[in-house]
Amino acid sequence: MNNLNRVLIAPILFLIAPALAHSDDALPTTRLLPVITESPSGEPLAPEERSTPFLAHLGDLSEFDYVEEEYEISGTGNIYDYVDNAAQSSEVAISESGVPYVTRMLIRRPAYAANFNGTIYVEILNSTASWDDDPFWRMSYGTFANAGAIYVGITSDPLTVDFLRNRWGAPEFVTRNRDRYANLTMDRFGQVWDVLSQAAVLLKDDDNPDNPLMGFGVERIIQTGFSQSGGFVKTYANSIHSRDVEEYGFPAYDGYFSSVHGFSAKKINPPPPGEGDDFVGFGDPRRLIDVAAPAIRFQAETEMLAIFAANTGRQVETGEPGGPKIRTYEMAGGVHVDIPLETSGLLLRERDLGFSTEPKECGLPVTPIRTDYIQSALLRAIETWVRDGIEPPPSSLIEIGRNETNNLIVIQDVNENALGGVRSPQIEVPLGRYIANPFTIFDPCFLEGAFIPFTEDRFRELYPTDSFYVQEVDRAISSAVADGFILAEDAESLKDDMLADAGIEDNTGSRSGCTLGNKGNPDHTLPLLLIIALLYQLRRKWLRTHS
Amino acid sequence: MVADALITLKRLVKDGPFIAAIIAGPVFWAALWLSELTILEWGGSVSNPSQFLLLVLIYPILEEIVFRGALQGWLRSLSWGTQHWGKITVANLVTSIAFTLAHLIINPVLLSAAVFIPSLVFGYFRDRYDRLQASIILHVFYNAGFIWLFAGILVA
C-alpha cells in the first residue's frame, strides 16, 4: 500500500470504525402487522383466518382520535453479564453478541402527528401469566390520550414470545390466524435489554424509514413496568442506561417508572425458568434504582409487607447534588390490582383467550380503592419532570412498625386504615376499613384487597348528613388535585366513584376540583365583566366631558 | 377622584349602617358554619395567591362597577327605579336579582342564593352614597372573609 492510499484510507476507516465497532447495536427493522378481519371483497373471515393483535385495545380509540398499530421488530443484540456479581455491582459487560430477535410492538398513538406531545411511554409488557399484559395502558390510557402522548407496549420475555408464536390462536384459546406471530423469536431473557434499547433509539430516529413514528418528532421516552416488569425497569436503569449514553451519545430512555414491583429487580442474564432465581435477592443493592435520570418508584400498600416486602428496599430521595433522582410513592390503601384493572383484564382474557369473565370468589368484598387515579397523576408528573425539570410532589411513606409479637405491621388510624403514604381521597374520606396487605398468598384475592364497610352508626358519626359527605369528598379531591396526586381531569370521575360507593346522590351542585366558595371557572366570566366595566367607565367619562 | 374617595371613607367609618354591615359579615359566616352548609377550611386559599386575589379583589371591583355602577345606575334613571320598600329601591332589588342569577351560571344553587342578601346590602350603600366605594369595600371584605374561611384549597 503506498503512502497516498494510507492517507486516503485512514479517514475513511476513522469514519466507519464506529459503525463497525457497534455493528451489534445497529437499529432494528420493523414490519407492520396488518389487522385482517374481512376478505378483499368485504366478507367476514372465519376465526382461523382473522389476524388481529393479541391485547388489542378493548374499546374504540377513535373517541380520542387515536389509532392502534402493531409492528414486528427484528434485530440483533447483545446479552450481558455482571462484571462482578459477587460484589453486587450493576456494571455489565457483553457476554454474547449478534443474538437475533424478532418481537412485537403495540403502538397506540394520535391519528395525526400534529396532536402528539412529544412523549412516549414504553411499557415492558408484563409476562407473569405467560402471555402479555398491558396494565399501564388499561389503567391510564385516558391520561396518555388527554395529553397527546404515545404508548408503546413491547413483548419482552421469551415466555410471551413463545406464547404468541406457538400457542395463541390455538383452539384451546381463541381461534385466530396462527401466521401472525410465526416469525417471533427470543430464545433467552438476557436479550430483552438490547430489544428495549434499540426499540427506543429507533423510535427517536425521526429520519429512519423503519421507525413507525418517523416524522412524529419524539422528544422523550419514559420506560414503565408494572409488577414483575417493574423489576425489569430497575435493572435496565441501573445497568443499561449508562451504556446507552455511551453507545448512542444520548439516553434511549429519559425517565423510568416502576410500579407495584415490591422489593425485587430482574437479573441481567437470568437462568431459564426452573433453573434458578431470576431476581436479585434480599439485601442486594441492585434492587435500588441508581440512575442519572428521573425515576419514580410507585408502590401500593399491597406491596409493602409479606411476600412483596417493598419495605426492605425503600428509597428516600436525599436531594443531595449528583444523587439519583428518585421519588418513592407508597399509596395508603392502594392495591396491586384494583377493580377496573381486574374487570378489564377479565374482558381481555375472554376476548383473546376465551376465558370466563366470572370474577373470583373473594371471602370479603373487594376494596373499592382505585390505584389507577394516583398512578395516572404520577405518570403525568414524571413527564413534567423529564420535560420541564419540575419535580414531582413530595410525599411521606406508609408508616410501618411492629406489633406485640414483633411482626411488621402497617400502622393504622382509628378506622384501621394505613397512616402515611400518598393519601387518595377515598382513604381520606373512608367508607370503612380498606385491607390492602395480603392476608396470605393463598388467598385468591390477595392482590385485589378487601373492604369492611362501616356500620350505619359509624358512617353517620363521621358524616352526619349526605351533603356533608359530599362536601368532604369535594374537599379531599380538591386537596389531592392541588397536591398533584389526582389529575384535575379525573376529579369528576373520582367523585362519581366515591359517591356511587357510598350510595349517595349529589344534589349540592358542587363541583369537584373546586370548593364551595370558588367561582368554579372564573375565567369564563372575567373577560365579559372587564368589557362591561370598561364600557361603563368610558361612557361616564364621555358624559362628564360632554355635559 | 382620590380626594373624593377619601371624603367618602371618612364618612363611612362614622356611618352607623356601614359599621353594622361590616359586623354583619362575621355574623353571616358564623351562621354559615353553624348551619353546616359549608365547612371551616381557613387559610388554605392563600396557597394560590393569584386565584385568591382574583376572587377577593378583582371580581368584587368589576362586579360592583358592572352591577351597582352600570345596571343599578341605569335602573335608577328610570321613572320607577327609585321607588322603594323601606330602604330597598326597585333598582337595587332588580340588580340584586340579576346579580344572583349571574352567579348561578358558574356556582351551585345554594351559594348563588346566598349572595342575594349581601347584594341588597351593597346596593343599599350604592344608593345611600351614590358612589361605589362603600359597596366595593363591603364586597371585598365579604369575599375575603368567606373565601379565607371556607374556600379551602382553590384550584385554578
Side-chain angles (χ1 to χ4, degrees), chain A residues 55 108 123 125 132-139 151 348:
Chain A
L55 221 63
R108 287 115 177 195
E123 177 169 15
L125 294 176
D132 283 331
D133 196 10
D134 58 351
F136 266 110
W137 172 255
R138 285 190 280 120
M139 294 171 86
Y151 168 94
L348 260 182

Side-chain angles (χ1 to χ4, degrees), chain A residues 471 475 513 515 518-519 522 525, chain B residues 37 41 59 63 103 107 151 155:
Chain A
Q471 217 161 248
R475 184 188 57 77
T515 59
N518 188 342
K519 291 202 177 211
T525 56
Chain B
L37 281 174
E41 184 80 31
Y59 261 92
E63 284 173 354
H103 274 68
N107 282 292
V155 178

Side-chain angles (χ1 to χ4, degrees), chain A residues 83-107:
Chain A
V83 168
D84 190 349
N85 190 43
Q88 298 176 330
S89 164
S90 294
E91 188 183 352
V92 299
I94 298 172
S95 65
E96 198 174 335
S97 58
V99 185
Y101 67 84
V102 180
T103 185
R104 64 137 185 179
M105 291 195 298
L106 258 180
I107 298 177

